[in-house]
Amino acid sequence: MEPDNHLVVKNVVKHYPIRKGLFSKIVGNVHAVDGVSFQIDRGKTFGLVGESGCGKSTLARLLMSLEPLSGGQILYKGQDISRFSKKHIFEIRRKMQLIFQDPYSSLNPRKSIGHSIEAPLVTHGIAANRKERRELVTQMMDEVGLDVEQFKRYPHEFSGGQRQRVCIARAMILEPEFVLCDEPVSALDVSIQAQVINLLCNLQKKRNVTYFFISHDLNVVKHISDVVAVMYLGRIVELAPKNVLYKRPLHPYSQALISSAPEVNLKQKKKRTVLTGDVPSPIDPPKGCHFCTRCRYVEKKCTNEPSPELIEVEHNHFVRCWLY
Ligand SMILES: Nc1ncnc2c1ncn2[C@@H]1O[C@H](COP(=O)(O)OP(=O)(O)OP(=O)(O)O)[C@@H](O)[C@H]1O
Ligand SMILES: [Mg+2]
């Protein structure tokens, strides 16, 4: 493994026990994340796509040490952060920041936006005094395209796009090295989405931050990512550089997903593959390949044998399927 990998995730698992009865006996497990491995290089964007409930946000919480792992390892610049103490996690939080989907609920409605952007500086003891902090906040507001005059305004006085700019400013003010964005533009209009994505791209160029970018929207992920991973029922089923994945998806699930994305499909003029059936429950996922219940190429092996591993089919192109 190369030492300049910013984040290395090894076989990460998260199971939530299901308890029932008077004695809270464990009767099963939700397999929210079921053996996920990948790595991200510094200054690059790793995009994660997948249907609702496939485990994207759970994986995000694990990467940010907001929940303990059930198994596996997360190495941040070579250090195993999954075994970090609370004190260490607090320290690393300055370098690893989060941006959520709903900018309204992630801002305190009783705090002016200036104070919200300033708060992390206070928490982490950055800047000597209030005057210095205010200077940093106004610089940051300017950088994300907010009017400095709006310092004292409250979140409800802003549009969704502006509120997301506030959240981006609040994350970036700590000069993080790694920013995890969980569906950051999904609640915004398409035109505003493009502005926010461009802002994120510009900030990345200037500051060399690494992004982990989650979205269910293939077009958004295509725009921003260097590498894209497709997740299905707790597992990454395909992982490749963006252009390779969108041009030549190999996993039957990625093929169906990409062929049904309106804009991506428009350019390629390919026939659409419609997925039939529902996503199986993560409480009791299929024994073999997780996609076997909906796959049009399904064979006996797919249901009977233990799950296939993620293998490198061509340079940097990984697939988890018996077809390859
Ligand atoms: N704390 C929890 N306890 C039990 N099950 C959970 C918990 N958190 C998540 N899950 C389950 O784990 C699975 C993955 O959820 P997750 O929120 O990670 O999906 P997601 O891919 O982010 O979906 P969406 O696109 O809708 O945001 C779901 O089946 C969910 O019900
Ligand atoms: Mg989610």
Side-chain angles (χ1 to χ4, degrees):
M1 207 86 50
E2 292 157 41
D4 60 314
N5 291 134
H6 198 171
L7 191 80
V8 178
V9 174
K10 290 184 188 170
N11 205 16
V12 160
V13 176
K14 182 70 188 178
H15 291 170
Y16 295 106
I18 304 163
R19 296 171 190 276
K20 264 201 187 135
L22 196 57
F23 301 105
S24 298
K25 204 176 145 211
I26 297 175
V27 292
N29 281 298
V30 178
H31 295 234
V33 175
D34 213 12
V36 164
S37 304
F38 60 87
Q39 54 196 54
I40 314 178
D41 293 339
R42 181 79 203 254
K44 299 283 183 217
T45 301
F46 184 96
L48 184 69
V49 286
E51 279 167 287
S52 185
C54 71
K56 304 182 294 295
S57 298
T58 305
L59 180 59
R61 290 196 297 276
L62 300 176
L63 298 184
M64 298 304 290
S65 310
L66 296 171
E67 279 182 32
L69 308 179
S70 310
Q73 265 189 327
I74 298 170
L75 305 176
Y76 184 81
K77 291 171 122 180
Q79 284 182 298
D80 187 355
I81 55 171
S82 47
R83 310 269 182 284
F84 266 18
S85 64
K86 276 197 177 139
K87 185 170 161 269
H88 272 95
I89 290 173
F90 176 76
E91 283 162 13
I92 202 116
R93 187 68 79 240
R94 196 182 147 182
K95 297 284 162 216
M96 297 178 88
Q97 284 288 308
L98 249 172
I99 299 169
F100 290 108
Q101 169 172 2
D102 182 359
Y104 197 56
S105 63
S106 49
L107 290 171
N108 184 341
R110 292 188 214 190
K111 257 193 192 167
S112 72
I113 59 123
H115 279 111
S116 282
I117 300 172
E118 188 184 350
L121 296 176
V122 180
T123 313
H124 287 271
I126 300 164
N129 51 44
R130 194 169 161 171
K131 187 166 164 276
E132 261 183 42
R133 282 201 301 270
R134 290 287 155 101
E135 260 167 40
L136 289 174
V137 173
T138 46
Q139 267 171 30
M140 196 66 240
M141 285 178 71
D142 189 49
E143 208 177 325
V144 298
L146 287 168
D147 190 347
V148 177
E149 300 295 307
Q150 296 169 326
F151 188 99
K152 291 202 170 128
R153 299 256 201 99
Y154 288 86
H156 72 267
E157 298 175 64
F158 289 85
S159 68
Q162 284 173 317
R163 279 199 290 263
Q164 197 55 294
R165 285 175 195 267
V166 174
C167 294
I168 292 171
R170 194 181 50 176
M172 289 294 178
I173 201 159
L174 289 171
E175 301 194 349
E177 299 166 342
F178 179 91
V179 176
L180 192 151
C181 312
D182 190 352
E183 307 263 10
V185 296
S186 304
L188 308 174
D189 288 353
V190 178
S191 60
I192 309 294
Q193 281 187 353
Q195 291 173 10
V196 173
I197 297 281
N198 285 342
L199 171 65
L200 286 169
C201 290
N202 291 339
L203 288 166
Q204 181 174 49
K205 263 185 229 141
K206 255 200 235 165
R207 295 161 174 254
N208 193 31
V209 276
T210 307
Y211 287 144
F212 184 85
F213 193 96
I214 298 175
S215 180
H216 62 272
D217 186 332
L218 282 145
N219 291 315
V220 169
V221 171
K222 189 180 182 192
H223 193 91
I224 195 167
S225 308
D226 296 293
V227 173
V228 177
V230 180
M231 195 164 179
Y232 186 81
L233 212 62
R235 290 177 178 164
I236 287 179
V237 295
E238 187 159 3
L239 172 69
K242 158 178 83 176
N243 292 330
V244 176
L245 183 80
Y246 282 74
K247 226 181 255 163
R248 210 167 78 83
L250 295 179
H251 196 284
Y253 177 64
S254 319
Q255 286 172 355
L257 211 60
I258 288 170
S259 83
S260 60
E263 215 172 281
V264 179
N265 194 38
L266 210 66
K267 282 187 196 125
Q268 298 177 358
K269 294 198 179 75
K270 276 189 190 151
K271 226 182 115 203
R272 284 193 180 185
T273 317
V274 180
L275 276 180
T276 49
D278 291 327
V279 184
S281 161
I283 295 171
D284 194 14
K287 296 241 155 24
C289 171
H290 279 185
F291 189 58
C292 67
T293 53
R294 296 166 90 193
C295 184
R296 55 193 187 134
Y297 304 108
V298 66
E299 290 168 19
K300 244 191 192 158
K301 193 178 188 180
C302 309
T303 36
N304 294 347
E305 294 200 16
S307 111
E309 294 298 320
L310 204 57
I311 53 157
E312 194 167 7
V313 187
E314 54 190 7
H315 184 58
N316 285 338
H317 191 165
F318 298 84
V319 189
R320 195 165 187 163
C321 177
W322 287 121
L323 284 175
Y324 303 98

